[in-house]
Amino acid sequence: LTVGVSGAVEIVAGSSFACARLADGIVQCWGSNGQGQLGDGTRASRATPAPVLDLAMAALELAAGADHACARLVDGSVHCWGANLFGQSGRDPAIFMGTELLRPVAVAGVTGATEIAAGDSHTCARTSSGLRCWGANDYGQLGDGSMTESFVPVTVSGT
């Protein structure tokens, strides 16, 4: 296995980690991994890039929050990994794998995604049915008119 990133077409950076999407759709991440933000199934930090598990050469776009990352795949689904205390990786931490996702997991309820973006502890996707966001919402960043966090995607008002 060659160490390093070759053929990168996109790069995103979180608080203390980074990920690159290669031309063939493979994603590699490196840096801090205490919350699983490298998506390699471990919590071991890495000083060199390592492949993210379970994306199978299918990533079209990346987004990174403070300690989580997401990929939009060729089938229009969104898969996230890393910190999930506020549901920013798209799963209720009380019933699904705790507050960290060590490998990518599909965000339920998001189909036909055409764009993704991530904030510190929330994530959004543009889909054919409107804008959808999930995660922290203490400042109203989910755009649904509330200030309540959501572990599942909510529709941004007016979209």
Side-chain angles (χ1 to χ4, degrees), residues 14-146:
S15 179
S16 56
F17 75 103
C19 298
R21 179 175 56 87
L22 309 184
D24 61 7
I26 290 175
V27 177
Q28 295 186 345
C29 297
W30 60 96
S32 175
N33 196 28
Q35 297 186 62
Q37 58 267 50
L38 302 187
D40 65 357
T42 76
R43 287 187 184 85
S45 295
R46 299 182 180 278
T48 58
V52 173
L53 300 175
D54 304 331
L55 296 182
M57 299 174 35
L60 290 177
E61 182 182 18
L62 300 176
D67 293 310
H68 78 289
C70 299
R72 178 175 60 90
L73 304 187
V74 296
D75 65 1
S77 65
V78 175
H79 292 238
C80 298
W81 59 95
N84 194 45
L85 181 63
F86 303 104
Q88 64 265 44
S89 291
R91 296 294 177 153
D92 183 342
I95 60 173
F96 186 82
M97 300 168 75
T99 60
E100 301 160 352
L101 303 178
L102 302 182
R103 59 193 313 142
V105 175
V107 177
V110 175
T111 58
T114 57
E115 185 177 7
I116 57 174
D120 182 50
S121 296
H122 72 290
T123 310
C124 297
R126 182 166 52 105
T127 71
S128 55
S129 60
L131 303 178
R132 310 288 306 274
C133 295
W134 58 94
N137 197 28
D138 45 338
Y139 298 102
Q141 59 265 49
L142 299 185
D144 67 345
S146 79

Side-chain angles (χ1 to χ4, degrees), residues 129-131 143-145 155-159:
S129 60
L131 303 178
D144 67 345
T155 300
V156 175
S157 296
T159 67

